[in-house]
Structures are given as C-alpha cells and as structure tokens.
Amino acid sequence: MSKGWLQALRDTPFLAQNIRMTGFVDLDETAARARADEFGWTDAPTGHDLNAMLTAQRPDLVFDIVVPPARAEVVEMSLRHGCHVLSEKPMAETLEGARRLIALASGAGRRHAIIQNRRWLPGIRRARAFLDSGSLGAVTAVHCDFFLGAHFGGFREQMRNVLLLDMAIHTFDAARFVSGQDATAVYCRETNPKGSWYAHGAAADALFDMTDGIAMTYRGSWAAEGANTAWEASWRIVGTKGTLLWDGNDGFTANVVDGDQGFLRPLRAVDVPTLATPLTQGHAGVLADFVTAVQNGTAPLTCGSDNIKSLAMVLAAIKSAQLGQRVSLSDI
C-alpha cells in the first residue's frame, strides 16, 4: 500500500510542494530503504524502530500503512510524539480500540484520520451532489451490489470475514457519505460459496437500518466469476420522486415521475451533472485534505470520529452473521 501513497505524494503538485519525507520505518529495514530509494527519497533515513525514528526526526505527520494488528501501537506512539496521523483502514480492530485512538488524538490536540479514498472519486461526488439537489426528493433506500472474482493470493485468502473486513467498509462508508445518514442496526448473512478460493467469508448479504428511515442493502462476493461490477459497486438509490442508477464508474441514469396517472406512472429522464470543478482523486484527495486540515486547523473529512461509524457497520455485520440475528449498532 505504501506505493500508492508515495505515488500520490510524488505526482500531486500540492502534496509534492508541501510534504518532505523525513524517514521510512519497516520491520524489514531493507524494504524501507528500497521503497524510499524507489521514490527518490535517497537522503531520508530508514530504520526498524519507530520510536527511535520519531525521536530523531520529530516529524509533523506520520503516515501509518501497517497491518491492522500493529495499528494501535503505531498511532498511539505517533500521537505521544506530537504527530498528526493518517492511517490505512481499518482504523482499529475493535470499537473500543477505535474510541481509544479518537480520545488520544483529541487529548493530544492532533489530527487523526483514515484514508477512506472512495470519498474522493468523481462518481461518488456526482451521486451525492445529485441527491443534495433534491431531484429525487427524499432518499428512501440505497442498494449496493459488489461482485468480483478477485484472485489476490497472499494473506487475504486466509483471512476470516475477508469480504466484510477488508472490502465492505469502502461501500459502507460510501453509502454513509452519499446518503448523509448513519446505520443504526443490521442483519447480515455471511457465506463462503462453493468453489471459493478464500478460507472464510468471501460473500455477504447485509440489510442495514439507517437514520431518517432509509434502508440500505449490500450484496457482495469476492468469489463471483463472470460478471464483475466496478470496485465501487453498482448502485440503485431510490427517492420519493424517482431513482438513480450508478454503475460505479461513469455510468449514471436517473428517472423521476412525470405525471400522476396510470398504474405505472410516466417517467422523465434527468441529467446527473458532472462535477463543476476538478477533483483531486483517490489517495491523493485524502492526503491533500489531511494536509490542508493540519495546515488550517480544520477537521479532515475522514477523521477518526467519523470513520468509526463506518467501522461500526463492519463489526456489527460480522457479529450479526455470527449470531444469526439482527444487531443494533449501539450494542457493539
């Protein structure tokens, strides 16, 4: 994952002008040295001891790209050294752990955010702007389908709850962002389909209750060959006046009711406007937002206190699947 972060830092003018890498840390220092050199930071020191590096370099920011079990220690240590921290997802392995990190960041007066990069994709921004325009009336339901035959190899194929833990948070967070609502309860069924090359949980179906009476459904699989959706899923968003279909890429179709007669009311196609201004996309967008928040003393869009609500959706869905019953997010 560090390659994606460093590409964004190198190739985005704002980031290249505002960020200087002062150290690279990895349990395998040769890996840290190789990655630093690959992206031109040949003068930056490398090491395997984060505490020593923070003490020596006194950086403003720490970019946390470690495996989830190591995240809490890295974030806590960085905050203790007075650093702002931007982490990979998930922000923590438990809600208790996430709350602790939020409290530590608040107590230290430092920014703590998660690189929830889907919020910086043009399609998601277009969908949100369209819903905010009121063209569909009040949103009543958000339906998301995610189906891919993804052959990663490596650690994912041995993970438990692999789809929910490693991927579904992107769609869950996007649903929160697009709708402007949060989940309150979930019923989830998790399966590992016949022929799956994953050890556990390659597929899941979840029904969420959201605030403001919205229903959100998620159907997903990482072991579904033959008709891949976009990585951003395929969406149907229903409102009181009509429906928006989004294929997860650049395909948008919207229709609203255009009459009050007939068994099926007549429909009228509505344009879904493109973005009025260019968007810094993906990882670069999250990084730029985080750096700007640190510079201006504002809250980043994906701050920990917001992202914990998306993490709660994942953990509640896993608990529901384990128990075979509906779970309230307030009980997680």
Side-chain angles (χ1 to χ4, degrees):
M1 293 306 300
S2 63
K3 182 172 287 192
W5 289 56
L6 289 164
Q7 285 174 339
L9 293 171
R10 180 193 63 192
D11 299 341
T12 308
F14 170 79
L15 294 171
Q17 294 164 11
N18 284 274
I19 293 294
R20 178 171 61 89
M21 298 300 294
T22 59
F24 291 76
V25 178
D26 194 287
L27 292 177
D28 177 1
E29 187 175 346
T30 60
R33 182 74 269 159
R35 189 51 51 87
D37 292 346
E38 178 184 357
F39 284 88
W41 297 103
T42 55
D43 294 334
T46 59
H48 65 271
D49 186 329
L50 177 61
N51 187 62
M53 184 69 74
L54 295 175
T55 300
Q57 297 299 317
R58 300 175 60 84
D60 301 301
L61 316 175
V62 168
F63 296 147
D64 156 35
I65 321 174
V66 301
V67 295
R71 176 141 300 124
E73 183 178 0
V74 167
V75 175
E76 290 181 24
M77 184 181 298
S78 301
L79 291 171
R80 286 199 304 270
H81 279 266
C83 303
H84 305 279
V85 185
L86 180 63
S87 291
E88 261 296 342
K89 55 83 182 168
M91 69 177 293
E93 295 189 293
T94 66
L95 283 191
E96 181 181 1
R99 294 186 189 106
R100 173 175 168 76
L101 296 182
I102 292 169
L104 288 172
S106 177
R110 291 296 179 263
R111 302 290 178 267
H112 168 231
I114 316 303
I115 197 155
Q116 206 73 60
N117 57 312
R118 266 38 173 209
R119 292 192 180 199
W120 272 266
L121 294 179
I124 285 177
R125 293 298 181 98
R126 284 180 68 186
R128 173 160 175 158
F130 182 72
L131 297 181
D132 287 347
S133 74
S135 297
L136 292 187
V139 175
T140 60
V142 178
H143 303 290
C144 311
D145 283 348
F146 175 86
F147 294 99
L148 286 171
H151 296 264
F152 292 101
F155 73 93
R156 286 183 178 86
E157 294 190 1
Q158 302 305 315
M159 284 178 62
R160 292 189 62 80
N161 315 109
V162 61
L163 181 70
L164 289 173
L165 269 181
D166 197 59
M167 186 64 205
I169 192 168
H170 285 302
T171 309
F172 295 174
D173 185 75
R176 287 186 53 238
F177 180 68
V178 167
S179 69
Q181 305 298 321
D182 297 322
T184 58
V186 61
Y187 179 81
C188 180
R189 180 187 64 174
E190 186 181 42
T191 60
N192 205 38
K194 184 181 295 186
S196 170
W197 48 97
Y198 295 89
H200 184 267
D205 303 284
L207 170 61
F208 286 95
D209 296 332
M210 308 285 282
T211 50
D212 204 27
I214 293 175
M216 183 247 175
T217 64
Y218 173 84
R219 301 188 301 175
S221 175
W222 255 351
E225 300 282 26
N228 293 333
T229 64
W231 281 94
E232 282 64 59
S234 175
W235 297 63
R236 176 184 292 263
I237 303 175
V238 183
T240 53
K241 296 180 180 179
T243 293
L244 170 68
L245 301 179
W246 174 39
D247 67 4
N249 292 312
D250 296 323
F252 284 87
T253 302
N255 291 283
V256 296
V257 172
D258 191 31
D260 57 5
Q261 300 297 317
F263 177 68
L264 296 176
R265 299 300 197 240
L267 301 177
R268 170 173 53 86
V270 180
D271 288 335
V272 180
T274 58
L275 298 179
T277 57
L279 179 70
T280 302
Q281 299 183 30
H283 280 66
V286 188
L287 284 158
D289 176 68
F290 182 72
V291 171
T292 300
V294 169
Q295 292 174 334
N296 297 340
T298 55
L301 182 61
T302 57
C303 60
S305 57
D306 176 82
N307 195 250
I308 192 174
K309 298 175 184 178
S310 299
L311 177 64
M313 293 176 73
V314 172
L315 298 180
I318 292 173
K319 182 175 181 179
S320 172
Q322 291 171 340
L323 296 177
Q325 64 187 40
R326 182 177 180 271
V327 169
S328 172
L329 269 72
S330 63
D331 295 333
I332 299 299

